[in-house]
């Protein structure tokens, strides 16, 4: 019986072809993997660049927002509000975005005292000056003998008082914007209800609005303005300008403090609790200023853009 011949395995040529095909497939797979890695790497780089640009954009936006998107109140073109009488404010447009405060031009006639006060609603010395001199300043204005320009600033903010100085000054700026003829009353009311500087936590916004209402100021616009702290950045900008302006700081100390008071451009350096002393200074300042014109010592803040 003849012996059958079984099927033989791949010959040498077939094995070579198989090896070549396997190598080709491996090369293609390696190329695909390399391409995927390149795409992933490029995507990661692009994502990283986009993230960096986004962060830069946020920083730039925040910087621009902090300096340029400041909402300024009307009737405070000089950084403060000018009162002809206790119930009559001088109306002005707001400081335009990108512009600095415009100093008030004061006419010196040898008869009128132009009083300019920089104050902080948390400052106890400001309270002393207000309590001592408010009535006589009100009378001088009623008699046509004086004007009063009030610049609220914030140098006594703290975590304890929840930035009360800024909140109160911003709230007062709301009154300047919406109900300027009531500013004198609100200014006095804030000092009459001043929280204790050392132990107090500052008035809440609701308490500030209650003080305003008791002083005859109440509206939905003012309520929203106070709660939103619409003019807090304005207060911050004006404060920064004041504390670094050589026309405002005390030349004997090189520092700014509140209250800082000028009459016809002359700095008052007397006591805060002596009405007669202040009245005497006012009389002398009127007489010695002569005639002509001068500007309030208003700081020139960095323009907001």
């Amino acid at each position: 019986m003849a012996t059958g011949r079984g099927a033989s395995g791949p010959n040498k040529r077939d094995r070579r072809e198989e090896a070549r095909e396997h190598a080709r497939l491996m090369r293609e797979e390696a190329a695909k993997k390399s391409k995927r890695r390149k795409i992933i790497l490029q995507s990661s780089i692009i994502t990283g660049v986009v993230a960096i640009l986004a962060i830069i954009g946020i920083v730039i936006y925040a910087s621009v927002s902090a300096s340029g998107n400041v909402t300024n109140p009307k009737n405070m073109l000089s950084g403060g509000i000018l009162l002809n009488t206790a119930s009559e404010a001088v109306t002005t447009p707001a400081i335009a975005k990108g512009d600095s405060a415009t100093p008030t031009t004061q006419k010196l006639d040898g008869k009128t005292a132009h009083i300019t006060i920089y104050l902080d609603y948390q400052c106890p010395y400001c309270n002393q000056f207000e309590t001592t001199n408010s009535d006589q300043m009100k009378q001088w204005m009623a008699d046509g003998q004086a004007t009063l320009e009030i610049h609220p600033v914030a140098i006594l903010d703290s975590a304890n008082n929840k930035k009360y100085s800024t909140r109160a000054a911003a709230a007062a700026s709301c009154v300047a914007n919406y109900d300027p003829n009531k500013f004198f009353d609100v200014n006095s009311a804030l000092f009459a209800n001043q929280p204790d500087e050392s132990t107090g936590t500052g008035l809440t916004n609701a308490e500030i609005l209650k003080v305003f209402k008791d002083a005859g100021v109440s509206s939905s616009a003012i309520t929203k303005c106070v709660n939103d702290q619409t003019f807090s950045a304005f207060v911050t900008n004006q404060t920064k300008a004041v504390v670094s302006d050589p026309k405002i700081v005390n030349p004997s100390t090189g520092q700014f403090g509140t209250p800082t008071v000028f009459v016809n451009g002359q700095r008052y350096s007397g006591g805060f609790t002596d009405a007669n002393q202040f009245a005497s200074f006012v009389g002398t300042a009127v007489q010695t200023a002569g005639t002509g014109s001068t500007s309030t010592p208003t700081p020139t803040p960095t323009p907001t853009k």
Side-chain angles (χ1 to χ4, degrees):
M1 182 173 70
T3 302
R5 193 173 179 185
S8 62
N11 58 34
K12 188 174 181 181
R13 180 181 178 182
D14 290 340
R15 288 197 298 271
R16 282 199 303 270
E17 290 297 327
E18 183 179 354
R20 290 193 187 101
E21 179 64 15
H22 181 68
R24 184 184 69 80
L25 293 174
M26 290 184 66
R27 286 195 299 272
E28 288 182 356
E29 182 62 26
K32 289 179 181 178
K33 288 182 179 179
S34 177
K35 186 177 181 179
R36 285 197 296 269
R37 285 196 297 269
K38 185 177 181 181
I39 292 172
I40 292 172
L41 178 61
Q42 289 175 339
S43 298
S44 299
I45 292 173
I46 292 172
T47 301
V49 171
V50 169
I52 292 171
L53 291 175
I55 292 172
I56 293 172
I58 290 171
V59 171
I60 292 173
Y61 175 79
S63 176
V64 171
S65 295
S67 63
N69 290 337
V70 175
T71 301
N72 297 316
K74 292 184 294 185
N75 310 315
M76 300 186 83
L77 186 62
S78 67
I81 184 168
L82 177 62
L83 307 174
N84 283 330
T85 72
S87 59
E88 180 192 348
V90 176
T91 58
T92 70
I95 299 172
K97 291 181 180 179
D99 287 351
S100 303
T102 301
T104 300
T105 299
Q106 302 171 334
K107 182 179 180 181
L108 303 180
D109 57 8
K111 300 176 182 178
T112 308
H114 299 289
I115 305 168
T116 303
I117 303 176
Y118 297 84
L119 53 80
D120 185 317
Y121 289 114
Q122 182 63 88
C123 164
Y125 297 119
C126 298
N127 198 348
Q128 291 176 4
F129 184 86
E130 160 71 21
T131 302
T132 300
N133 295 292
S134 179
D135 287 344
Q136 66 179 2
M137 290 190 296
K138 184 176 182 179
Q139 188 60 55
W140 294 338
M141 287 190 287
D143 294 340
Q145 297 177 345
T147 65
L148 176 62
E149 186 166 308
I150 300 174
H151 292 251
V153 296
I155 61 173
L156 294 174
D157 277 340
S158 70
N160 185 51
N161 65 31
K162 298 178 176 62
K163 298 185 69 174
Y164 176 70
S165 291
T166 292
R167 289 190 297 107
S173 300
C174 293
V175 177
N177 187 79
Y178 290 107
D179 200 353
N181 291 337
K182 295 293 292 183
F183 192 92
F184 186 90
D185 293 340
V186 162
N187 183 75
S188 296
L190 282 170
F191 283 119
N193 292 273
Q194 185 183 72
D196 185 88
E197 181 188 13
S198 60
T199 61
T201 56
L203 301 181
T204 65
N205 290 343
E207 290 170 332
I208 291 173
L209 287 167
K210 175 65 165 56
V211 169
F212 286 3
K213 186 175 182 179
D214 291 344
V217 174
S218 178
S219 72
S220 58
I222 288 179
T223 297
K224 184 178 188 324
C225 182
V226 172
N227 286 331
D228 291 350
Q229 284 291 280
T230 302
F231 299 124
S232 61
F234 162 78
V235 172
T236 298
N237 283 352
Q238 294 305 309
T239 302
K240 287 179 178 179
V242 165
V243 300
S244 62
D245 195 289
K247 300 188 300 293
I248 310 298
V249 299
N250 190 327
S252 63
T253 63
Q255 303 293 321
F256 172 79
T258 54
T260 292
V261 183
F262 293 91
V263 180
N264 290 6
Q266 299 183 39
R267 183 186 300 271
Y268 176 62
S269 301
F272 301 139
T273 58
D274 190 333
N276 291 330
Q277 185 181 27
F278 181 62
S280 176
F281 172 81
V282 168
T284 301
V286 170
Q287 293 174 2
T288 58
T291 59
S293 65
T294 186
S295 296
T296 56
T298 303
T300 304
T302 301
T304 56
K305 300 180 180 178

